[in-house]
Amino acid sequence: MKFIAKDLIKLNVDVADAVEAIKVAGQLLVRSGATDDSYVNAMVQSYEENGPYIVLAPGIALPHARPEDGVKEAAVSLVQLKEPITFGHTTNDPVRLVLALASSSSEEHLQLLQRLSGLMGDQDKVRQIIQATTPEDLQTLLEGLR
């Protein structure tokens, strides 16, 4: 399982919209070998078909797709957006952090969500991650979630 490893982090990313933000987070999964390109397309399609339900906490989106859409290994990538982006969620917009989840089973999906739940409920930690300037700083902030 690859959980926000250094190669799965991209900071200060300038994107035009939610779809581009999802694609950037998805490409980190592809480059790490955790998923195929088809998984990125499936995450975008899911967002376009199902709407902003993936914005699970204030400022945080968790795009994902089904395991059969191209997952090779469980992983989570993190993209810190340079500017907040609207995903269309009535209460949790705008988004500053995009955490793309890839899991090969329902059990892995739940495990990843459990690890992230501590982050989503801690607005002070979220603020620190939004302000992090290096992947190393961010990994230090996430130590308790590993």
Side-chain angles (χ1 to χ4, degrees), residues 31-136:
R31 276 190 247 140
S32 76
T35 70
D36 293 328
D37 281 324
S38 60
Y39 191 76
V40 179
N41 296 333
M43 287 194 304
V44 169
Q45 184 177 359
S46 177
Y47 168 70
E48 291 175 340
E49 290 177 1
N50 302 312
Y53 79 96
I54 59 174
V55 185
L56 296 180
I60 302 174
L62 281 82
H64 57 278
R66 295 174 301 178
E68 59 269 27
D69 291 325
V71 175
K72 298 177 183 174
E73 179 181 359
V76 178
S77 67
L78 186 150
V79 172
Q80 175 203 67
L81 299 176
K82 183 176 182 179
E83 298 294 332
I85 294 291
T86 299
F87 274 63
H89 196 279
T90 56
T91 56
N92 291 333
D93 267 345
V95 170
R96 288 294 308 268
L97 299 175
V98 180
L99 295 139
L101 274 68
S103 57
S104 59
S105 69
S106 296
E107 288 178 13
E108 280 184 343
H109 188 80
L110 289 175
Q111 288 174 353
L112 291 173
L113 286 177
Q114 281 180 322
R115 291 170 91 175
L116 292 171
S117 65
L119 169 64
M120 292 187 288
D122 187 341
Q123 287 303 302
D124 187 49
K125 180 87 69 175
V126 170
R127 183 187 50 74
Q128 292 175 43
I129 291 171
I130 289 170
Q131 295 174 347
T133 57
T134 68
E136 292 79 13

